Amino acid sequence: MLWSRLLQFFVLLLVPTLVRSLDDFDEFDLEDIPDPTTRLLLAEHARASNASLRWGPYRSNLYFGIRPRGLPETFLSGLMWYNVDNYQGIQKIRHTCEQGDEMQGYGWDIYDTRDGGRQVIHDVSHDIDLYTEFVKDGGSWGLRVRGEPKSQDTRTAIVFYFGTEGIARSKLLNNFNLKGLMDDVQYGGYIGGLGNFKLTVTRGPESNRAPVNDHAVGISRPAERTHALSLAVDGSTVWRARDYYMKIMLEFVQKMQGVYPPEQLPSAAHLLNLNDAPDEGNLHFVQRNFVGKFQFDVLFEEDGGGSMNSAKLTSLLDTAITSFDSRYAEVFPPIEPFDSPEYISFGKSLLSNLLGGIGYFHGSGLVDMSDSAYDDEEYEEFWLDRGAPNVVEAEPSELFSAVPSRPFFPRGFYWDEGFHLVPIIKWDPDLALEIMKSWFSLVDDEGWIAREQILGQEARSKVPHEFQTQFPTYANPPTLVLAISAFVDAVESHSVPEGFSVPVGDEMPQQFINFPESSPRNAHLHSPTLARAAMKTLYPSLRTHFNWFRRTQSADIRSWHNSDTPRPPSWTEGYRWRGRTPDHCLTSGLDDYPRARPPHPAEMHVDLMAWVGAMARAMIKVGKFTGAPETEITRYEKILAGVKGNLEEMHWNDVAEAYCDLGWDAETESRVHECHEGYLTLLPFMVGLIPAEKVGKIVRGLRDPDRLWSEFGIRSLSKRDAAFGLGENYWRGSIWINMNYMILSALQNYFKVPEVTEKDRDLIAETYKALRINLVSNVYKQWEATGFAWEQYEQETGSPKGVKHFLGWTSLATVIMSMPEVLV
């Protein structure tokens, strides 16, 4: 398969007729790149990358659902199943991932976004382990569905469906039979943007067993046959395939209840079956009922995309697994004490589930366009009356993104995505760039990106009504900007292969022949020319977004400044999250973390100040990498200096030995420190903005078990805080993997700072080693016990809390396991 992709990549580079406009999804402003060779390099790399990323299980909310990315109204597919030992099984039909489903765990054991892999679903309620094995080869792909029930006589109904949303036609190619089909089921048709296709659902091996005919209904619709039904539905509702299927089943059951008394109804395996109707339509169901173990394949072939059959599926799957294992050992080498087979398998699954949760989303989001949505919250009690909403549907947009949790948060989250990209940048830098490009394509004219991307009706169906609307002045921690900076770091620190030269004219094909790996996965690392050109296309949106962030979240330092207090080093560098209420600051990402009560327009938030400082530092790095004007670099440096100065002068509290929020004291009419030790006060340390002389004080606070230290990680809030463990208790003590990862990274970085004393350096090394072990050991322990990674972990017992299957930033445990055991 590697050689096949090599050949495809070379052909793309060598054929001049391929130099034409790119797909809309990966549109570069090539006119801004004057060098024609570089423009060709960008265009052809994007085309090759698109080919390997086109198909995938990009319907993140489903247990399994395939669609192409970059084609908004096109092909959708999905898998449903339920137990048919009795009539009650269909009430728990599986389709969308749900928190309440009785599972002992599910997800990808092995998965790579470009090749495919294997998922296993341990469905306790339906007494079955279901395997979905997916591979692709250019425009073709194959899916193998395997079932291994706990009992050899368990009966299972499996329904595969596919539908088309836009310009398309499709129909059954088999000769119609009212009793069902004995052979492979084949469909053919045309899909706008893809062309002609053929889809086959195979019979599977002879070992497959079906329920015996024990009723007249079974004679008219034999359970050993494959049953197919086609519907013509509104294309915008294809995603509701489960609802259509359940309606069909309900109508047939009601019909049979009018014919037979309850005691004479057929078995569930015969009653709950499709009534064959293979009319031409845009939503097609294929159902099989099995007894015991079973297996069958779904094979999709696109014109010009190569053939696909069961033997090839098997071969591609074997290659994908071998390739994944080899690459994992290279990219995430396990470091003691996490180098045992159990931890290696654990790490592979965490990474695979992060990659397997990447989705493609398209549709309109809801935005409040009222005047109140644009105000600066400069009046007291601003949260009590935000004015009349004016919620409108924005123009449709698209997003290619990982998701925090397939059952609970199957959509894009701005601040989560920066953490998702940490392991993705290591695994597949070019894929990470595709995701970053997609996110920054959402920047509007003002520079805003909605913090939650709820695009279209399917995504909206998973979100409570009160959280669906987005506000154009609400921000989120800018981790995506930090991810772009990390990408630049990866490019600059990468060793260019021996014999590698910058492409010039006719020598460009040789440039790619010399790549140690030809797939688009690492092309930007191997070619600084390519990486710099790609970053130049992103930089204008990045700059606009940075300016929006500072403008909309700025605090009014002058109006509320008390003349009795020292003059701040900077009159501009102060920030306040918009969207606050007395109990929540959702925009900060730390939802219920305690802050000043009540909110006040004079307050300043230390975590936001730290994020802006980190953002400015990232802009310096990206600006220099892309050759931005020196005046812009100087401006970013001035902002960073102002942030650092104001952190020390305005936010540091000597008594608490912490960086604190500033609230408003009505009696003295001045700002006062609001100190709640925890993740919020640690943010300046986490992003590397504090001076060396304060590092020891911060780390000693981390190590205190009566404050932040626990056997399972760093608590989100100090045990000494009056709000510890109270209220919703979401960010008031629980352990979060993303923040602990940032703490570990900060310890690594400060260990290298020459100005840190030897005593503090020893404390840093000791803290780092113990925290790394505590953190990963507990995530693994709970994974083994429950079958899931979790959103957060309880600080006293390490037990899981919140959302399960949070993979998501909890997958950062994979990166932590490959970090050094000790700091030297």
Side-chain angles (χ1 to χ4, degrees), residues 388-465:
N390 178 26
V391 179
V392 301
E393 283 201 30
E395 288 295 314
S397 55
E398 57 186 346
L399 179 66
F400 186 54
S401 174
V403 303
S405 168
R406 287 167 60 192
F408 206 80
F409 299 116
R411 55 192 181 276
F413 281 75
Y414 177 97
W415 97 290
D416 292 67
E417 193 67 359
F419 292 109
H420 300 163
L421 286 166
V422 172
I424 295 176
I425 287 172
K426 293 178 178 293
W427 179 258
D428 188 333
D430 289 15
L431 169 63
L433 181 61
E434 291 297 311
I435 291 171
M436 291 186 286
K437 283 162 45 185
S438 182
W439 271 96
F440 279 92
S441 72
L442 299 172
V443 173
D444 70 5
D445 292 341
E446 297 296 318
W448 176 60
I449 304 175
R451 66 188 188 90
E452 279 193 55
Q453 295 296 322
I454 310 168
L455 305 180
Q457 290 294 334
E458 184 171 11
R460 213 171 294 160
S461 70
K462 297 284 286 186
V463 184
H465 176 76

Side-chain angles (χ1 to χ4, degrees), residues 236-420:
S236 66
T237 65
V238 167
W239 65 273
R240 299 183 60 185
R242 177 189 179 278
D243 296 340
Y244 285 113
Y245 177 82
M246 293 297 286
K247 183 175 183 292
I248 292 166
M249 290 294 104
L250 176 62
E251 290 175 349
F252 184 72
V253 169
Q254 291 175 337
K255 179 180 178 181
M256 290 297 99
Q257 287 174 333
V259 176
Y260 299 102
E263 66 275 8
Q264 293 182 13
L265 284 170
S267 70
H270 293 94
L271 179 66
L272 303 174
N273 220 331
L274 288 172
N275 189 19
D276 293 79
D279 297 331
E280 187 169 340
N282 65 334
L283 180 57
H284 308 277
F285 296 96
V286 178
Q287 179 168 341
R288 299 283 302 279
N289 286 352
F290 298 100
V291 176
K293 294 183 178 181
F294 60 85
Q295 176 180 308
F296 66 92
D297 297 338
V298 180
L299 310 170
F300 181 94
E301 297 172 285
E302 188 181 319
D303 263 10
S307 63
M308 181 61 68
N309 54 50
S310 294
K312 188 173 183 180
L313 192 163
T314 301
S315 175
L316 288 172
L317 182 64
D318 291 342
T319 302
I321 292 173
T322 302
S323 174
F324 184 96
D325 288 341
S326 175
R327 181 164 180 78
Y328 185 86
E330 174 189 345
V331 176
F332 296 106
I335 307 297
E336 293 183 358
F338 307 120
D339 54 348
S340 67
E342 293 80 9
Y343 275 103
I344 293 172
S345 177
F346 168 60
K348 289 178 182 178
S349 189
L350 291 179
L351 175 66
S352 296
N353 278 290
L354 173 66
L355 297 171
I358 291 174
Y360 171 75
F361 309 91
H362 178 269
S364 58
L366 301 180
V367 181
D368 188 342
M369 301 298 291
S370 63
D371 291 339
S372 61
Y374 291 91
D375 68 49
D376 290 328
E377 300 180 357
E378 297 296 346
Y379 51 94
E380 296 187 36
E381 298 187 340
F382 56 81
W383 68 93
L384 293 177
D385 181 15
R386 296 188 183 275
N390 178 26
V391 179
V392 301
E393 283 201 30
E395 288 295 314
S397 55
E398 57 186 346
L399 179 66
F400 186 54
S401 174
V403 303
S405 168
R406 287 167 60 192
F408 206 80
F409 299 116
R411 55 192 181 276
F413 281 75
Y414 177 97
W415 97 290
D416 292 67
E417 193 67 359
F419 292 109
H420 300 163

Side-chain angles (χ1 to χ4, degrees), residues 143-155:
L143 163 67
R144 177 160 293 157
V145 181
R146 292 193 290 120
E148 296 186 4
K150 305 301 181 184
S151 168
Q152 64 177 358
D153 295 322
T154 295
R155 299 197 231 183

Side-chain angles (χ1 to χ4, degrees), residues 716 728-737 778 782 789-794 798-803 806 809-810:
S716 48
E728 296 173 15
N729 193 19
Y730 196 45
W731 291 86
R732 296 191 173 192
S734 298
I735 293 160
W736 295 76
I737 305 305
N778 187 61
Q782 304 307 330
W790 293 78
E791 183 182 20
Q792 52 185 293
Y793 295 87
E794 209 278 326
S799 59
K801 292 183 64 179
V803 174
F806 199 88
W809 60 44
T810 302

Side-chain angles (χ1 to χ4, degrees), residues 37-71:
T37 302
T38 303
R39 292 173 61 189
L40 176 62
L41 190 66
L42 272 172
E44 298 308 333
H45 169 266
R47 202 180 316 282
S49 184
N50 282 348
S52 64
L53 294 175
R54 174 183 290 175
W55 290 100
Y58 295 144
R59 300 181 71 193
S60 306
N61 60 315
L62 305 187
Y63 285 110
F64 190 85
I66 303 169
R67 68 165 300 158
R69 75 165 194 149
L71 294 171

